[in-house]
Structure formats: structure tokens, C-alpha cells
Amino acid sequence: MYGTIFSIFVCFIHCAFSTIMKISTEKTDFLVIGGGVAGLRAAIELAPRGSVVVLTKDKITESSTGYAQGGIAVALSDEDEVRIHYDDTIKAGDGLCNEEAVSILVEKGPGFILELISWGAEFDKEGSKLAFTMEAAHSRKRILHAHGDSTGKELERVLINKVQTFPSVSRYNFAFTLDLIIEDNRCIGASILKGNEIINIFAKAVILATGGAGQLFSRTTNPPIATGDGMAIAYRAGALLKDMEFIQFHPTSFYSLSAPQFLLSEALRGEGAVLKNINGERFMPGYHPMSDLAPRDTVARAIVSEMVRTGAMHVYLDLTHLDNDFIKKRFPLIYSTCLQFNIDITRDLIPVSPAAHYIMGGVKTNLHGETSIKGLFAAGEVACTGVHGANRLASNSLLEGLVYGAEAGKTAAMYAEKVKMQDIVQTSRQGGPAPFNFDLKEVKNSLRQLMWEKVGIIRCRESMSDAKTRLGEWDIIIKADFFSRQELEVKNMLTTANLITDAALLREGSIGAHYRSDFKERGEKWQRHTENQKEKGTTWAE
Ligand code: FAD
Ligand code: SIN
């Protein structure tokens, strides 16, 4: 009763607030939505060619990029070759990679890393040479890292510094993108929410670099910003999305009822850590010839099997046999974080269980970052270039953000040369009134639990049909207009959850990170891609 009265009051305030909201207009040559590796690298490419506005919905340092631990994969060591990096990427992608996209990634990758070093990036070294580590499914040591286990922070530092050298780039932090502005099937800007103001920013070209969607799942390694906004925004604008069913679950996220979720980098296993069940038995050798360094999907499912078999909520990661000083020096962030929760990783076993980590699917792009909508480009985790196929090779995404962020920037700049400065058009919000009979915080929690339980590591028609029924009950939220970040995120999360579930239902087969207990084989149509588009629904790609 009090809940209902409160909700009506909130709705009244909400409606009153939204009607008095100030609306203003701005113009820029290029609008980059997202300030992680992909957005920043795109902005650097665009900066000499016009005015650039970079948007982030939180602080610039709140991105998956900033939290990246293990490193960045690149064929630069003496014992490695571009061809071997290519082969490992294709193998991890389980037959669904775009081979051309992979070639571009691995061939251009070394140049982009050398460029980063020339801008001041300090990767860890052994003596005078770069140090490379191992991660799952790599057949060579090829992962560069910085400050041990804070590689993302170093990339972020260098890219932000570089961006700041260009007076043509402005940054708007805490600026939430509501929607793209589309006119005659062309993207001409975006509406953003900044404080109590809506700003319509018109641009010759827009680059979407909003990152991933891990927050759709109750267990995730992703930071709170990863709510799948870019996918939902692009979908509402009519863009094609591809392979949304492919979610990568990282095998080792810290498990504790009293601690926040925290990634325990695969590099720990790369340096010799092993998984044990709660009885202290190693189990990975029985599941895969690559043992603890088997592909992530295999390790994640093996952990689930062991948890079920032993009736436990977690397994353990064991580093205690490694040299103590080496561990502290090599993994300072992980060491100090675990210590805060009374786990000394040099002496104690670490409780771990899998968590949603990365989405391979996203807004479909060609090799140059062009989406199906003119004037709209996409790069980084929000995009699906086809590089990762059905499963991403560890540490390939930072590299993808650099290579394809720059490519999207370059292509957008060429496109803008042919486009005259956008005329300002009137925009209107098209959603319905905000529903007052939902507690959106509660919806968010339920949604995250639902996706984890029904569309998670192991899925089937029955579980996903249940998920669809529940998602249907929240349809009214998807159709409503909201004017706060929290509400908009829930709306976007629901939209993206539907896209993932629809694609996962369509793919009746198991491939890469998509595992269906009711279709354990690959399925007849395994070599095809799924697509979602507002007009067409969820279909197989032509
Ligand atoms: P992000 O870095 O996530 O940036 C997204 C940006 O978009 C943010 O600035 C955000 O504010 C903005 N944004 C989002 N929505 C909106 C909106 N509505 N309006 C305005 N702005 C918006 N990959 C590796 O290759 N190596 C690793 O070692 C590695 N470790 C990882 C560890 C962790 C804990 C996590 C979570 C991921 C890791 N990954 C790693 C994956 C990798 O970090 C990400 O895939 C990559 O950083 C994504 O970069 P991005 O630029 O696409 O997005
Ligand atoms: C990790 O450090 O385990 C994450 C690496 C990645 O996701 O690429």
C-alpha cells in the first residue's frame, strides 16, 4: 500500500520533472560515445580532422578498459609469429570468426602497440626486453602486461594523455546517451542527458564505443557501466546486431558472499596457478588436454560440473606452490585486493566461480567500423567485427579496441568529408509514460538473476522460454521514456537481454561460448550468424 502511494508520488515527480527539463543543442564534427580503449583511440584518429566530443556516462576512468588485468595479446616476441596468433584466434572462435577481420587484427596489432609505446606506455620487461605471459588457448607466450596486473589502467593513462594533447577534443563526463538522432536513415547525432538537461548533439559522424553488457548477469567481472546501452540504443535506431548469443563467462571470479565480485586474471593460471575442487583435487586434466589453460568456455563449464558434483558454490584457485615474492610482484593488485578480504594468495586457496565477462556479439560492422546505418560507426566491445567468432581469445579485446577504434575513426573522417555540417532538426522522445507500478531497482536485480540462471553458462529451450515470459512482463518498461541514468540503464538492459535471449533461442546447437544442454552438438546451421533488427526481429543472417 505505502509502496504504491510512494510509486505514484515518484511518478508524479518524474513526469513533472521531465516536462520542465531544459533542452539545448550543440554541434560538433564527430561525436564519440564512450571513453574506453575503442572510443579514445577513435578520438585520437579523428582529432586532427575536426572537432570531436567524447562522451562518457560516468568518470572517464569507469570503463572495462580501466579494469583490464591480464594484458594485451600481440605477436611481438621472438618466439611468436603473426600467423600463429591468427591460428589461435580462429581456433578459439570455433569456426565463426571473420578471417579477414582476424588478419587485420593480428597483422596491424604490433604497429599499434609500438605506437602506444612511443606515446609513453610502459609494459613490463624482463631485463631490457618486453615480458610476455601466457593465457588460455594461446600456443605462445604473447600477452604484454603493465604494472603486473593493471594493464588496462596503463592503456587508459596513455590514451587519455594523448587525447588531451588535441585542443579539438572536448570531453563530457557523466553524460548519458539517451538515443541516436536519425534523419532519413542517417545518423546525425545523439541526445544526451547531462544533469537535468537534455542536449541534442549534432555531428557529421557518430562513433559508438559504449563497451559490453556483463551487468545483465548477476555474476560478472564487469564494472557497473557495462549495461549494454550501446546495443539497445543502436537497436532502437534500427541498426543490425549480430551474434548476440555469444557471451563469454570467465572461469575465475573471486567468490565471497561478503566481497565485491573481482576478476582473478587468467594470467595467474598462465604463470602456473591450478584449479582444485573443494576436496582439494585438481580436475582440469580430466576435462581437456590443455588442462587449466583450456579455452575459457571449457574451463567455465568444467567448474560448474565440479561445483554440482561436490555440492559447492565455488572451486579454488591455488597459487601456493609458486614463489611468494614472484606472486606479490607479478600480481600486486590481485594480491592486495584479496588481502583486504583475508585471503593471502601466497598461502591460501582462493574461492572462485565463473562470471559473465565479455560479449562477442554486438552492433554489426564491416571491416571499417561501418554499421548498417549511414553516419554511425562502432568499435570495441559494443561492435561485432567478427574478430572473435563464437568465443574470444583471451586478451584480444584491448587489441581489437585499438585497431578497430582507429579504423572506425579513419573511416568516419573520410565519410565526414563528403557530408556537410548537419542542420539541426527537431527531435522528440517517442516512448510512453514511465510505468509507476515497478520498482526498477528490484526489476534490475531480478533481471540479472534471471539471465544468470536461465540464459547463462548452460542454457536450454525451457530455461530460455521461461526467461522470455518473465522479460515479456517488463515490456512496458522498454517502451517507456525515462530521464535518469538508473532508469535508462534498466530499460537498456531489458532490451539487450531480449536480444541475447532471442538469438540464443534461435541457435539450436552448441558452439563456442554458447552451450545448450538440449542441443549439445553444433547443429545444422552452425556456420551461420544470427542477427537482430527492430524491423526484422531475430533471424539467421543471409
Ligand atoms: P569500455 O572500456 O567498457 O568503455 C565504455 C565507455 O562507454 C565508457 O566510457 C562508458 O562510460 C561509455 N558509455 C557506456 N554507455 C554509455 C552511454 N549510454 N552514454 C555515454 N557513455 C556511455 N581484455 C583484454 O584484452 N585483456 C585483458 O586483460 C582484459 N581484462 C579484463 C578484465 C576485466 C575485469 C574486464 C571487465 C574486462 C577485461 N577485458 C580484457 C575486456 C576488455 O577490457 C574490454 O572488452 C574492453 O576494454 C572494452 O573496451 P571498450 O572501449 O569497447 O569499452
Ligand atoms: C584476464 O586477465 O583473465 C582477462 C583477460 C581477457 O579477458 O582478455
Side-chain angles (χ1 to χ4, degrees), residues 59-299:
K59 290 184 289 196
I60 183 85
T61 47
E62 269 305 305
S63 64
S64 290
T65 299
Y67 291 97
Q69 291 182 359
I72 184 159
V74 65
L76 269 177
S77 89
D78 296 343
E79 63 185 54
D80 204 0
E81 287 168 33
V82 162
R83 181 73 211 177
I84 309 177
H85 189 187
Y86 172 90
D87 290 342
D88 288 348
T89 303
I90 296 280
K91 201 166 163 198
D94 209 3
L96 283 187
C97 293
N98 176 330
E99 294 175 4
E100 247 185 298
V102 177
S103 294
I104 291 171
L105 179 83
V106 297
E107 283 166 15
K108 291 194 172 176
F112 276 87
I113 297 296
L114 296 176
E115 177 185 67
L116 264 192
I117 294 173
S118 76
W119 292 344
E122 290 181 9
F123 292 108
D124 296 335
K125 290 192 172 161
E126 273 161 11
S128 59
K129 285 187 158 185
L130 289 169
F132 295 89
T133 193
M134 191 73 167
E135 282 187 19
H138 287 270
S139 58
R140 292 287 186 281
K141 281 188 160 191
R142 68 163 66 91
I143 323 293
L144 282 176
H145 43 90
H147 313 295
D149 50 5
S150 296
T151 313
K153 276 272 161 285
E154 180 62 4
L155 252 69
E156 186 182 86
R157 180 187 72 79
V158 172
L159 292 171
I160 292 174
N161 281 348
K162 184 71 188 172
V163 162
Q164 282 170 342
T165 63
F166 295 101
S168 53
V169 181
S170 329
R171 248 176 38 204
Y172 291 5
N173 299 338
F174 297 99
F176 192 99
T177 306
L178 297 158
D179 269 311
L180 298 169
I181 305 173
I182 306 287
E183 175 86 347
D184 295 333
N185 294 322
R186 205 159 63 80
C187 181
I188 56 167
S191 299
I192 68 165
L193 181 70
K194 185 147 175 47
N196 291 344
E197 193 180 350
I198 291 182
I199 311 177
N200 291 323
I201 305 183
F202 292 91
K204 290 180 184 168
V206 176
I207 293 172
L208 200 56
T210 46
Q215 284 292 327
L216 266 65
F217 297 84
S218 57
R219 276 197 65 71
T220 183
T221 62
N222 287 195
I225 58 111
T227 49
D229 294 346
M231 290 140 195
I233 289 167
Y235 177 77
R236 284 199 290 274
L240 258 182
L241 287 94
K242 180 177 162 189
D243 288 348
M244 290 291 286
E245 67 275 29
F246 295 123
I247 309 288
Q248 182 174 78
F249 295 89
H250 198 292
T252 55
S253 171
F254 189 53
Y255 180 83
S256 161
L257 293 179
S258 56
Q261 295 180 31
F262 176 69
L263 178 71
L264 290 163
S265 174
E266 203 159 70
L268 292 160
R269 279 174 284 134
E271 299 288 358
V274 292
L275 288 159
K276 291 183 172 170
N277 63 24
I278 51 150
N279 302 321
E281 300 152 347
R282 284 192 67 186
F283 53 89
M284 277 317 299
Y287 282 91
H288 196 278
M290 291 177 89
S291 190
D292 294 275
L293 286 176
R296 280 186 185 167
D297 60 305
T298 307
V299 182

Side-chain angles (χ1 to χ4, degrees), residues 429-448:
R429 315 272 324 136
Q430 284 165 1
F436 57 81
N437 50 344
F438 288 103
D439 173 348
L440 289 190
K441 227 180 191 173
E442 176 55 35
V443 172
K444 181 173 173 175
N445 291 338
S446 306
L447 168 69
R448 299 182 71 220

Side-chain angles (χ1 to χ4, degrees), residues 34-35 37-38 57 64-65 68 70-71 175 177 210-211 229 358 381 395 397-398:
V37 58
K57 71 174 173 180
S64 290
T65 299
T177 306
T210 46
D229 294 346
Y358 185 87
E381 194 167 337
S395 287
S397 41
L398 291 176

Side-chain angles (χ1 to χ4, degrees), residues 349-484:
L349 300 183
I350 319 168
V352 293
S353 77
H357 183 60
Y358 185 87
I359 180 160
M360 274 68 75
V363 181
K364 183 178 175 178
T365 70
N366 65 9
L367 300 175
H368 309 293
E370 290 169 306
T371 71
S372 61
I373 298 180
K374 270 210 166 50
L376 179 67
F377 303 80
E381 194 167 337
V382 70
C384 182
T385 56
V387 155
H388 308 300
N391 203 2
R392 176 179 65 100
L393 184 68
S395 287
N396 261 355
S397 41
L398 291 176
L399 191 69
E400 188 197 21
L402 286 178
V403 173
Y404 283 95
E407 186 61 30
K410 201 165 91 190
T411 317
M414 286 187 317
Y415 167 84
E417 280 172 15
K418 292 175 252 144
V419 178
K420 73 173 177 49
M421 192 61 190
Q422 188 52 56
D423 287 335
I424 288 167
V425 296
Q426 289 303 316
T427 60
S428 61
R429 315 272 324 136
Q430 284 165 1
F436 57 81
N437 50 344
F438 288 103
D439 173 348
L440 289 190
K441 227 180 191 173
E442 176 55 35
V443 172
K444 181 173 173 175
N445 291 338
S446 306
L447 168 69
R448 299 182 71 220
Q449 202 58 39
L450 181 78
M451 291 301 283
W452 178 251
E453 285 169 8
K454 310 278 187 185
V455 198
I457 302 173
I458 298 174
R459 316 152 161 186
C460 66
R461 169 162 296 281
E462 205 186 331
S463 69
M464 291 190 287
S465 301
D466 287 351
K468 277 300 288 180
T469 307
R470 191 84 177 93
L471 286 168
E473 292 166 15
W474 293 319
D475 258 358
I476 187 164
I477 298 173
I478 293 181
K479 292 184 184 128
D481 251 349
F482 296 102
F483 297 94
S484 78

